[in-house]
């Protein structure tokens, strides 16, 4: 409101003094005389009415100052009011003249503050949705409530529910002021209505591509149909737009470079369903005719064509072409140059000619200059020592830049297990002198693990387990008390301590230490482990009446084992290979205990074993692999004692196994491949063979194979020098063939098989890749069996099963899993063998 009339009473003028006593004032509008405008000099400026804002700041917002000449009526005063309102801080502004003389005017702006947000209430939504809305809307308490704020709040809340399929959502906001404190509560009332579903999708213009394949690519936009559970048919505009783009990308992959959604429409059926109509223009399919290169000097066009792998007659696929130019390290065209130091290499495909359905491609190459590595910069390793990280880095100062080695370094850092694999950063920094600095950024994650579990061990009863594994231990800092947090860490060594017991009946202790870089210069791994086990057998009546504390053992078994191993990384055939050797001594002491069911109940057995293992591991991530493979072939050999014995040597049963004799071969293979999106296929094969050196000796009861269940040792019956192999869908240790010996009356396989094989196929999908809790679900098909003699060995005679499961990896506890499997094949003498079984696992199960 702008107007003026002369004030006969003078008033004291104060600028920016808060809320002065209101002087007699004249509305500026009363001074408007368009027939006789007058010019005044501003003699004073005040702002009144504000309780929480700085009056001086508001005066500066008007654009006026004392001494300015203003014409009344004129634009200057109207502009000053607009500026105050446009600040968004005020709800109302009025302009008054507190004093007017012939040449001067004293102005006062009377304002009203907008309320500030004190609280937000949501009505019409569930409590869980309220928490999500608060995160989504992000209304900061204390901010001024403007029409823009309320409108944006309505839009954000509506969008939140529209993205969930509630297209008819209505949102109303109400501001409830608290005049005493100039605060206000915003009440947001939501009427979600019902979810809008898609009744029908029409694909007009589709001719060349199968309709089922087109619909399959629209993963977030599906028609209603009975039984649809995992891909609901609700309509989400954001996903619909993404699916249209994916649909065109699919057509492009098939060679239809001109494919487009020319138009689409949404038909409201008057209720909670809609119809979608997409008008497609597929265009024609294109093929590659000629591929030429421009700008290449280091390599011939034939050599580049060979590496690129795009030939005449191939379907024109721009996405595939880009992958072959700048895709998989070591297999794309860019690696040919970048692995030889040409960091600045680039290749740009140009469609040089299009005739009919044929396209001539010209690859314009910029080779640039070779770059050598100047510095390697490491950031983020707050716990792990620099030398532990640097010894995994394959891009060293003075070497030529290599793209493949850059990606390989990223993999090596991920497989250490000390850093979040999703946050390992690589940043090449080209320098003016033609060199390049490479910066690696890592983020530490907890790597130590604690195993605290309990389970039922058949007639052993409850078995408790406590294990501690320090994966980044530092032996050299043991004497440095300042480094104990709680143990010295940072040198990449592994220290494991494990204790398992149920009281006097069963106890086992183990300690192991691994130094992966013996001497610190080469990846030669030294490992040492020691274990001790005691198992006592009690009369069942005595055991239940007196307990293990007071019962008298009627038999016992003791085992002590010591292993020393040395492994090294190989450079041929490639540096994913490693070779390791180990020596193991085990002493078995049986005292009146029938664990084997073959009459060997008393005696001492000594087992000296030499093991050699050749392995190759190229998986990209130990917690959730998406690509790569792992192969292992190992052989274990005891001395051939029987060679030095007479042919007619027939020792008593107590001495028959005094010196354990066998040779054992194991093969394990695992392969990972991303199928689509985050879905990963894992395929595994496992085989084992236990043999003897000559026909005069029998294959002993040691190191045999026992299949069934989760694969955890110590469940059902105590495992004595046996390989426990899991087979989901069947009871623990209960998969056997007719030639396997069994302990009478227990229904349990005694000696186990001398040969086994197992095959597994899994589909895995990650729920969370957070390093603090990596979670994935899986579905599996597997089959396996073991045989007590080679005569009955049939690799196709498998006990088959299928099921689902879940895994969670937490740094403090390792990998924990639960599976539900269903066995398809019966096992003679084992009731309910081929029925549903739950299995619980701790740790990584290799077999």
């Amino acid at each position: 409101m702008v107007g003026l009339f002369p004030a006969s009473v003078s008033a004291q003028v104060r600028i920016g003094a808060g809320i002065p006593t209101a002087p007699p004032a004249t509305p500026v509008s009363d001074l408007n005389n368009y027939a006789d405008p007058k010019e005044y000099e501003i003699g004073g400026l005040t702002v009144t009415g504000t309780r929480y804002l700085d009056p001086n700041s508001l005066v500066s917002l008007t654009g006026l100052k004392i001494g300015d000449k203003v014409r009344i009526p004129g634009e200057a005063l109207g502009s000053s009011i607009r500026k105050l309102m446009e600040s968004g801080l005020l709800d109302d502004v009025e302009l008054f003249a507190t004093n007017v003389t012939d040449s001067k005017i004293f102005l006062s702006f009377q304002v009203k503050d907008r309320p500030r947000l004190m609280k937000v209430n949501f009505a019409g939504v569930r409590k869980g949705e309220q928490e999500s809305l608060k995160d989504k809307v992000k209304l900061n308490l204390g901010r001024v409530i403007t029409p823009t704020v309320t409108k944006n709040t309505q839009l954000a809340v509506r969008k939140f529910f529209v993205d969930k399929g509630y297209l008819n959502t209505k949102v109303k906001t109400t501001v409830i002021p608290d005049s005493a404190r100039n605060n206000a509560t915003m009440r947001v009332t939501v009427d979600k209505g019902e979810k809008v579903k898609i009744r029908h999708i029409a694909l007009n213009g589709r001719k060349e591509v199968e309709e089922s394949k087109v619909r399959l690519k629209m993963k977030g936009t599906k028609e209603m149909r009975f039984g649809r559970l995992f891909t609901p048919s609700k309509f989400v505009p954001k996903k619909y737009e993404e699916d249209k783009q994916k649909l065109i990308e699919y057509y492009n992959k098939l060679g239809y470079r001109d494919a487009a959604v020319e138009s689409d429409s949404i038909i409201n059926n008057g209720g909670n369903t809609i119809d979608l109509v997409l008008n497609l223009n597929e265009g024609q399919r294109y093929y590659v005719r000629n591929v030429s290169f421009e700008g290449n000097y280091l390599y011939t066009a034939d050599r580049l064509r060979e590496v690129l792998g795009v030939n005449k007659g191939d379907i024109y696929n721009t996405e595939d072409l880009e992958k072959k130019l700048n895709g998989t390290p070591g297999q794309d065209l860019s690696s040919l140059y970048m692995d030889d130091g040409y960091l600045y290499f680039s290749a740009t495909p140009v469609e040089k000619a299009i005739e009919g359905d044929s396209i001539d491609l010209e690859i314009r190459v910029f080779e640039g200059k070779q770059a050598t590595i100047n510095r390697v910069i490491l950031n983020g390793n707050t716990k792990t020592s620099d030398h532990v990280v640097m010894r995994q880095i394959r891009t060293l100062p003075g070497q030529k830049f290599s793209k493949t080695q850059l990606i390989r370094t990223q993999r090596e850092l991920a497989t250490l297990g000390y850093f979040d694999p999703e946050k390992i950063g690589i940043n090449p920094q080209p320098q003016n002198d033609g060199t390049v600095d490479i910066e690696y950024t890592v983020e530490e994650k907890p790597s130590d693990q604690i195993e605290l579990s309990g389970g039922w061990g058949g007639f052993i009863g409850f078995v408790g387990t406590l294990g501690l594994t320090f994966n980044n231990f530092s032996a050299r800092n043991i004497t440095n008390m300042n480094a104990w947090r709680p143990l010295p860490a940072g040198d990449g060594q592994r220290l494991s301590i494990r204790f398992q017991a149920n009281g006097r009946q069963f106890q086992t202790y183990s300690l192991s230490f691994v130094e992966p870089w013996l001497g610190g210069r080469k990846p030669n791994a030294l490992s040492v482990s020691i274990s001790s086990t005691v198992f006592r057998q009690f009369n069942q009546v005595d055991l239940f009446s007196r307990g293990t504390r007071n019962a008298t053992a009627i038999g016992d078994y003791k085992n002590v084992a010591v292993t020393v191993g040395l492994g090294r990384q190989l450079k041929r055939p490639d540096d994913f290979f490693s070779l390791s050797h180990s020596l193991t001594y085990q002493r078995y002491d049986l005292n009146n205990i029938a664990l084997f069911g073959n009459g060997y109940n008393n005696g001492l057995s000594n087992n000296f074993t030499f093991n050699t293992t050749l392995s190759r591991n190229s998986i990209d991530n130990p917690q959730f692999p998406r690509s790569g493979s792992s192969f292992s072939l190992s052989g274990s050999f005891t001395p051939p004692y029987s060679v030095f014995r007479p042919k007619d040597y027939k020792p008593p049963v107590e001495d028959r196994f005094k010196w354990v004799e066998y040779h054992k071969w194991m093969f394990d293979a695992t392969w990972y491949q991303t199928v689509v999106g985050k879905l990963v296929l894992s395929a595994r094969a496992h085989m084992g063979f236990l043999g003897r050196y000559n026909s005069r000796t029998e294959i002993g009861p040691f190191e045999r194979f026992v299949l069934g269940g989760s694969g955890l040792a110590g469940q059902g019956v105590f495992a004595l020098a046996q390989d426990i192999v899991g087979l989901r869908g069947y009871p623990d240790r209960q998969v056997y063939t007719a030639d396997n010996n069994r302990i009478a009356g227990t229904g349990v396989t005694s000696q186990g098989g001398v040969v086994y094989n197992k095959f597994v196929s899994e589909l895995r999908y990650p729920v969370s890749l957070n390093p603090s809790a990596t979670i994935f679900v899986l579905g599996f098909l597997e089959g396996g069996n073991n045989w007590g003699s080679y005569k009955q060995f049939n690799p196709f005679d498998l006990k088959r099963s299928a099921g689902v499961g879940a895994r969670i990896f937490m740094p403090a506890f390792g990998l924990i899993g639960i599976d539900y499997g269903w066995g398809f094949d019966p096992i003679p003498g084992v009731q309910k063998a081929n029925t549903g079984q739950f299995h619980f696992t701790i740790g990584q199960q290799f077999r």
Side-chain angles (χ1 to χ4, degrees), residues 395-415:
T395 54
L396 302 178
Q399 294 180 344
K400 287 186 293 186
F401 177 84
S402 171
K403 174 184 175 181
T404 299
Q405 293 302 328
L406 204 68
I407 302 302
R408 178 68 184 276
T409 297
Q410 186 178 37
R411 173 197 174 273
E412 296 297 324
L413 294 178
T415 54

Side-chain angles (χ1 to χ4, degrees), residues 730-770:
Y730 296 94
D732 286 342
R733 300 168 54 90
Q734 293 293 291
V735 176
Y736 72 97
T737 53
D739 54 350
N740 285 27
N741 294 331
R742 316 192 79 217
I743 299 178
T746 66
V748 176
T749 302
S750 172
Q751 295 188 41
V754 297
V755 58
Y756 93 97
N757 54 226
K758 173 184 172 182
F759 306 97
V760 183
S761 179
E762 289 183 350
L763 280 175
R764 301 178 171 189
Y765 187 84
V767 177
S768 169
L769 294 177
N770 190 318

Side-chain angles (χ1 to χ4, degrees), residues 417 445-453 466-471 623 771-774 808-816 842-843:
K445 70 171 186 177
S447 58
D448 297 333
Q449 298 173 3
I450 180 171
E451 179 186 354
L452 183 61
S453 64
L466 173 63
L468 298 173
T469 301
F470 302 94
N471 286 306
Q623 273 75 56
S772 62
T774 301
I808 177 170
F809 178 85
M810 294 183 291
F813 297 97
L815 190 66
I816 301 173
I842 299 177

Side-chain angles (χ1 to χ4, degrees), residues 451 453 465-468 496-500 508-511 713:
E451 179 186 354
S453 64
T465 302
L466 173 63
L468 298 173
S496 297
I497 304 170
R498 195 168 186 267
F499 170 64
Q500 190 175 33
T508 182
Y509 310 84
S510 64
L511 172 68

Side-chain angles (χ1 to χ4, degrees), residues 597-615:
N598 63 351
Y600 180 44
N601 302 337
N602 293 277
L604 292 174
S605 295
N606 300 279
N607 186 354
F608 287 95
T609 308
F610 171 75
N611 175 275
T612 183
T613 301
L614 177 67
S615 61

